[in-house]
Amino acid sequence: MELITLKSPREQEAMRRAGRVTAQARALAGSMVRPGATTKEIDDAVRKFIRSKGGQPSFLGYGGFSGSACISVNEVVIHGIPSKKIVLKEGDIVSIDVGAIIDGFHGDCAATYPCGAISEEAQRLIDVTRQSFWEGYQQVQVGRRVSDISHAVQVYVESHGYGVVRDFVGHGVGTKLHEAPEVPNFGPAGHGARLQAGMAIAVEPMVCAGDWHVKVLKDGWTTVSADGSLTAHYENTILVTDNGPEITTVTEDGAYD
């Protein structure tokens, strides 16, 4: 079993710097979501921005991934590959997942954005997914267990009639993009690793408007809802501290998406 790493004060400060750049990249990408834009254009902007800050995109080349961001449209829940062939249209919802490595440490965050005017149902899905993160966030307290987060997310999502993805989970973050512990978005409370000051985790609800089952397409990356329903994704990197949870993926003006 992989050991959970606790970040020193110096390492926590490095994670704050990485998180700030990552959040700025997410905000930039979100501002570019509009009818007629391609996901490749957004991806190019993310890559250029992160490099302009002295960092590198965490996702670029990760496991062979070709983009600097995962940009997932409508029924694509995660790992959408940026392409000049994917042109956004009015009514789409677009999930953008960004990672940046700065001075050896990663930030990781995601959000789902409306493309022009969207349906009430699509907006509700975005809102519930975002709020489910905050329900889990409230459980990030020293002494509680990882599955306390998981359970809070699941209960909130399912109370609104949606399905929370089980095949993919949140995770620890640090000098590696994916570290221990895994942070599922489902399951009973009171299980898993006990939260300790110095831990850093990415909590990331992935939600389907219909059933929770997903499938990975032939490209080996693109993951869609099995029933073709709309999907949404929301994520931030969180430091566990003695004073409560602290989000590192926040812009200089305090924005989380």
Side-chain angles (χ1 to χ4, degrees):
M1 181 179 295
E2 187 180 359
L3 292 176
I4 296 171
T5 63
L6 302 182
K7 281 66 179 178
S8 68
R10 180 190 63 79
E11 291 170 329
Q12 291 179 40
E13 189 55 41
M15 291 204 66
R16 293 183 184 101
R17 292 194 296 272
R20 190 175 305 114
V21 171
T22 308
Q24 290 171 332
R26 173 178 57 183
L28 170 63
S31 73
M32 296 179 67
V33 172
R34 62 184 183 278
T38 70
T39 58
K40 179 67 163 57
E41 290 170 354
I42 297 171
D43 187 69
D44 287 344
V46 166
R47 183 178 63 257
K48 290 176 183 177
F49 175 80
I50 292 172
R51 287 179 172 168
S52 77
K53 297 296 184 178
Q56 290 295 330
S58 300
F59 302 166
L60 185 60
Y62 187 89
F65 190 74
S66 61
S68 296
C70 299
I71 306 179
S72 307
V73 183
N74 295 333
E75 76 280 2
V76 182
V77 59
I78 51 172
H79 300 163
I81 302 171
S83 171
K84 62 183 179 182
K85 296 180 180 179
I86 301 176
V87 181
L88 302 180
K89 63 182 185 301
E90 188 90 10
D92 286 342
I93 59 174
V94 185
S95 297
I96 300 175
D97 191 355
V98 179
I101 182 168
I102 305 287
D103 298 331
F105 285 84
H106 291 269
D108 191 6
C109 61
T112 302
Y113 299 91
C115 184
I118 63 173
S119 68
E120 289 184 9
E121 173 58 27
Q123 186 62 57
R124 179 173 180 266
L125 176 64
I126 291 173
D127 293 344
V128 168
T129 302
R130 191 180 193 277
Q131 183 58 35
S132 73
F133 165 86
W134 293 105
E135 297 296 317
Y137 172 83
Q138 294 175 25
Q139 300 300 317
V140 182
Q141 304 289 338
V142 170
R144 294 188 181 174
R145 293 192 180 273
V146 165
S147 75
D148 295 340
I149 303 168
S150 311
H151 186 66
V153 171
Q154 181 181 14
V155 167
Y156 188 81
V157 169
E158 292 183 351
S159 74
H160 289 81
Y162 297 143
V164 64
V165 172
R166 303 187 180 196
D167 299 65
F168 299 88
V169 298
H171 51 89
V173 189
T175 56
K176 297 178 181 177
L177 179 60
H178 295 98
E179 297 184 352
E182 290 191 341
V183 186
N185 295 303
F186 66 97
H191 297 271
R194 197 173 292 280
L195 300 176
Q196 303 174 63
M199 289 174 64
I201 55 175
V203 175
E204 53 175 320
M206 295 156 272
V207 179
C208 301
D211 187 84
W212 62 264
H213 290 88
V214 297
K215 60 183 179 181
V216 180
L217 301 186
K218 290 181 180 179
D219 60 30
W221 286 104
T222 307
T223 301
V224 302
S225 57
D227 60 8
S229 62
L230 286 178
T231 65
H233 184 195
Y234 190 76
E235 173 187 24
N236 281 302
T237 300
I238 306 170
L239 285 173
V240 183
T241 82
D242 288 320
N243 297 318
E246 177 191 342
I247 293 177
T248 63
T249 43
V250 58
T251 63
E252 289 178 340
D253 60 359
Y256 294 110
D257 56 17

